[in-house]
Amino acid sequence: MNKEDLTDVFENCPCFRARAAARRITRDYDEAFKSIGIKSTQFTLLAIIKGKEPSSITTMADKLAMERTSLIRTLELMAEKGLITLAEEGYRRERKVQITPKGDAILAKALPLWKQMQASFVSRIGQENWQANKELWLDIAFGD
């Protein structure tokens, strides 16, 4: 092991770069949502539950490239806050998720904050970079 190999990690490792970028982006969006008491992960889940109406937690986990158990933990916290309801396990241990009126109200407050943060993010990296790379991120997350 030499310094050149270790320097290569910081200069060329996609895992390091993706995680560093994800931490920064998450921190920025979390700060934007702080005033309404949610995190960026909760905003995303509220938007998906309301906008996509997933048939089950498993379907949602697949669409988010998340581990089902991690998603369930987050959803249970959201249910405790009254943002969503979780149905009892049904056929094939599937559980449905629904947004509550409180969750709907939080989502309505969060959407303008998200739009402001989105504009700030795109401004920081540039519209051209955003358009050129946003599909790449999904390809990395969901590709073979």
Side-chain angles (χ1 to χ4, degrees), residues 45 56-61 64 66-80 84 86-87 89 93-97:
L45 292 174
S56 69
I57 292 173
T58 301
T59 300
M60 196 180 334
L64 293 166
M66 282 182 79
E67 294 292 325
R68 187 176 185 276
T69 54
S70 297
L71 177 57
I72 289 172
R73 278 192 302 272
T74 302
L75 291 172
E76 286 173 346
L77 290 171
M78 292 172 69
E80 287 174 17
I84 61 165
L86 290 169
E89 286 185 6
R93 296 185 53 214
E94 296 287 336
R95 294 175 78 184
K96 294 195 183 243
V97 182

Side-chain angles (χ1 to χ4, degrees), residues 7-23:
T7 300
D8 192 36
V9 171
F10 297 104
E11 291 180 358
N12 295 304
C13 179
C15 183
F16 165 73
R17 289 175 180 269
R19 291 179 60 85
R23 282 190 294 271

Side-chain angles (χ1 to χ4, degrees), residues 18-81:
R19 291 179 60 85
R23 282 190 294 271
R24 167 65 193 271
I25 293 167
T26 300
R27 204 169 38 244
D28 290 348
Y29 278 78
D30 282 349
E31 185 63 32
F33 296 128
K34 191 175 187 178
S35 66
I36 58 170
I38 64 170
K39 301 271 189 188
S40 57
T41 51
Q42 295 169 328
F43 167 77
T44 302
L45 292 174
L46 288 172
I48 286 171
I49 293 164
K50 178 77 174 183
K52 297 289 186 183
E53 299 178 3
S55 60
S56 69
I57 292 173
T58 301
T59 300
M60 196 180 334
D62 290 343
K63 289 182 186 282
L64 293 166
M66 282 182 79
E67 294 292 325
R68 187 176 185 276
T69 54
S70 297
L71 177 57
I72 289 172
R73 278 192 302 272
T74 302
L75 291 172
E76 286 173 346
L77 290 171
M78 292 172 69
E80 287 174 17
K81 291 173 84 172

